[in-house]
Amino acid sequence: MEKHKIHIKYMVSYRCIMVVKEELKNLDIRYSNVNLGEVEVSQKITASQKEALRLNLKKIGLELLDDKKSILIDKIKNEVIKMIHQSEAPPTINYSEHISEQLGYDYTYLSNVFSEVQGITIQQFIIFNKIEKVKELLLYNELNLTEISYQLDYSSVAHLSNQFKKVTGLTPSYFKRMKEMRKKIL
């Protein structure tokens, strides 16, 4: 049986996977697998099913992707999100090698397409996501800065702190103090 793939933009969490599965079920579209950004369907879907899926996904903030560059960009983003937000341990190889291996393209090509379409580099996207993860970990108060630095593969706490300040305008310790001050006010 031939498998067909549908690509979906903004699908970044397991909750999105559950919502997409529900939409597929409602539209009677048989699928064999649903991953971040991608659905493997067991049969070719009709134009009316595809349009209904497009409209239903749009209502919940997701979007069907049709052109190859958009699909590739979405795959890169999903790979970065998986590496940073859904992994407990630091990567065993560098991000560029990992992305290249997972997507089966030369990293220079991926980087050029990403920059052309997004207006930022993959590296900048990775940094932004790492800082978002640092904020999340600081807010949950489960790890100290040294542990966070290790988990996100920073060379040092100083490097993490400098990057955090460059992106947010705040030091990690000030960011954490702001959280404590908000708690006292509320």
Side-chain angles (χ1 to χ4, degrees):
M1 183 185 310
E2 188 180 337
K3 305 252 186 220
H4 301 278
K5 290 189 178 177
I6 300 171
H7 298 276
I8 303 172
K9 189 174 185 177
Y10 306 124
M11 199 172 160
V12 295
S13 69
Y14 293 112
R15 186 172 175 82
C16 292
I17 290 173
M18 301 310 294
V19 170
V20 168
K21 283 181 177 180
E22 191 63 32
E23 288 300 329
L24 294 168
K25 185 178 163 194
N26 291 341
L27 293 169
D28 198 30
I29 298 173
R30 292 193 189 97
Y31 62 89
S32 56
N33 204 2
V34 179
N35 291 308
L36 294 178
E38 190 174 88
V39 175
E40 214 171 79
V41 292
S42 317
Q43 78 228 18
K44 203 163 173 85
I45 63 172
T46 66
S48 62
Q49 282 177 314
K50 190 170 188 176
E51 190 53 32
L53 182 61
R54 180 184 310 283
L55 292 172
N56 291 355
L57 291 176
K58 191 170 186 149
K59 288 177 192 171
I60 54 175
L62 301 175
E63 186 180 312
L64 278 183
L65 293 174
D66 292 322
D67 75 276
K68 290 188 185 309
K69 277 187 182 178
S70 294
I71 291 168
L72 191 56
I73 298 300
D74 207 55
K75 284 181 176 182
I76 294 167
K77 287 180 175 182
N78 285 332
E79 208 49 54
V80 169
I81 289 164
K82 275 193 260 180
M83 288 186 308
I84 295 170
H85 296 282
Q86 296 166 1
S87 175
E88 295 299 316
T92 53
I93 60 174
N94 70 38
Y95 291 110
S96 58
E97 283 179 49
H98 180 81
I99 293 167
S100 185
E101 274 181 21
Q102 292 300 309
L103 301 182
Y105 288 96
D106 177 68
Y107 185 76
T108 303
Y109 171 74
L110 293 172
S111 182
N112 288 338
V113 170
F114 192 90
S115 296
E116 173 191 322
V117 174
Q118 294 298 123
I120 62 169
T121 65
I122 293 175
Q123 189 60 36
Q124 288 169 317
F125 185 74
I126 289 169
I127 290 168
F128 173 75
N129 276 276
K130 284 174 81 170
I131 296 305
E132 286 303 305
K133 183 69 174 183
V134 170
K135 286 185 201 175
E136 178 185 317
L137 293 170
L138 286 171
L139 289 175
Y140 287 129
N141 219 6
E142 294 171 0
L143 303 173
N144 64 38
L145 220 44
T146 303
E147 293 165 325
I148 293 170
S149 172
Y150 172 76
Q151 183 176 326
L152 293 174
D153 199 36
Y154 279 95
S155 57
S156 66
V157 171
H159 182 217
L160 181 154
S161 296
N162 288 337
Q163 211 168 62
F164 191 93
K165 183 160 183 156
K166 191 183 276 185
V167 171
T168 67
L170 307 169
T171 64
S173 55
Y174 186 76
F175 179 82
K176 198 169 183 170
R177 275 199 310 274
M178 283 176 41
K179 175 194 151 212
E180 299 302 322
M181 288 187 285
R182 277 194 217 119
K183 271 186 184 176
K184 290 176 185 174
I185 293 171
L186 299 174

